[in-house]
Amino acid sequence: MTAVMVCNPKGGCGKTTLATNLAGWAASEGKRVTLCDLDRQQSSLRWMSFRDESMPAVNGFYGGGQLMASLPKDADVTVIDAPAGLQGYKLSDYLRLVDRVVIPVVPSVFDMAATEDFLNSLRSEMRGQRHKIGIVAMRVDPRTRAAGMLEAFLQHFDVPILTYIRPTSNYVNAAAAGRTIFDPPKSRHKQDLAQWAPLLKWLES
Ligand SMILES: Nc1ncnc2c1ncn2[C@@H]1O[C@H](COP(=O)(O)OP(=O)(O)OP(=O)(O)O)[C@@H](O)[C@H]1O
Ligand SMILES: [Mg+2]
């Protein structure tokens, strides 16, 4: 079983978008997937409630408010959607449970400033396990000034940028239908699927 946590205490940076799409990807690969929503807002579970039965199945689990002693054992892949603000001892407990930590970061000065303390604490907490952590540059095209700013900022933390996810309404439209870019029709999402490939390769490595 592989467990991936998507987290960043900054609100609105794309955690649920990444988590639901990761769950959709694993489901499309025929894996048994549990999407574990730690957020009281339950955005991931709401997304699941929109999901059509004809789509590859994702199981939902609400873990909000309590610390989970262990992860669901009957899943091949568990994706954890963390709430904004998750840090400190609660975050530490989850970090111990998971195999990979994916951190969406939007390259705005506000988002980067709000993420700085979190990345610092992660760096000390995950000493010797850096290979578990990766950044996803969210809502940005590479080769833009914003992407350059993000790269310069992240140099201080020695964590790789796994990929860049462009801003597109494809994610918004897919989410509204309980879908992901990995659900049919895939041809509509070619450009986005290509952007996900390095992240998926890293998760499988
Ligand atoms: N690549 C993208 N292009 C366009 N819109 C996006 C993209 N990624 C995320 N969004 C939109 O940005 C908003 C915030 O994303 P999301 O809900 O995934 O963030 P979050 O980190 O889970 O927020 P919260 O901290 O409130 O849980 C949503 O409306 C989502 O549809
Ligand atoms: Mg969310």
Side-chain angles (χ1 to χ4, degrees), residues 8-18 39 41 43 81-84 104 138-140 165-172 175:
N8 182 340
K10 178 76 176 80
C13 59
K15 297 179 287 291
T16 300
T17 302
L18 277 187
D39 196 343
Q41 290 180 14
S43 307
D81 181 12
M138 210 56 187
R139 299 205 302 246
V140 59
I165 303 289
R166 68 182 179 136
T168 164
S169 55
N170 285 349
Y171 293 104
V172 183

Side-chain angles (χ1 to χ4, degrees), residues 49-68:
S49 73
F50 303 147
R51 191 164 175 79
D52 196 278
E53 275 182 15
S54 64
M55 292 291 121
V58 174
N59 294 311
F61 183 89
Y62 176 54
Q66 79 230 20
L67 276 177
M68 285 153 59

Side-chain angles (χ1 to χ4, degrees), residues 100-115:
R100 298 292 166 111
V101 182
V102 177
I103 306 165
V105 183
V106 175
S108 86
V109 284
F110 306 126
D111 281 63
M112 290 188 286
T115 307

Side-chain angles (χ1 to χ4, degrees), residues 15 25 102 156 158 201:
K15 297 179 287 291
W25 161 68
V102 177
H156 304 293
D158 192 25
K201 197 171 163 201

Side-chain angles (χ1 to χ4, degrees), residues 17 19-31 33 35 47-48 50-58 170-171 173-190 192-193 196 200:
T17 302
T20 50
N21 277 276
L22 278 176
W25 161 68
S28 75
E29 295 278 294
K31 297 187 169 123
V33 190
L35 178 56
W47 167 82
M48 269 193 47
F50 303 147
R51 191 164 175 79
D52 196 278
E53 275 182 15
S54 64
M55 292 291 121
V58 174
N170 285 349
Y171 293 104
N173 295 337
R179 291 180 180 234
T180 72
I181 59 160
F182 297 95
D183 295 315
K186 275 192 174 182
S187 57
R188 199 184 290 167
H189 303 135
K190 255 189 187 159
D192 303 306
L193 292 168
W196 277 72
L200 304 179

Side-chain angles (χ1 to χ4, degrees), residues 89-101:
Y89 72 91
K90 272 196 170 183
L91 173 68
S92 308
D93 284 348
Y94 284 112
L95 291 177
R96 273 192 283 279
L97 291 178
V98 300
D99 304 294
R100 298 292 166 111
V101 182

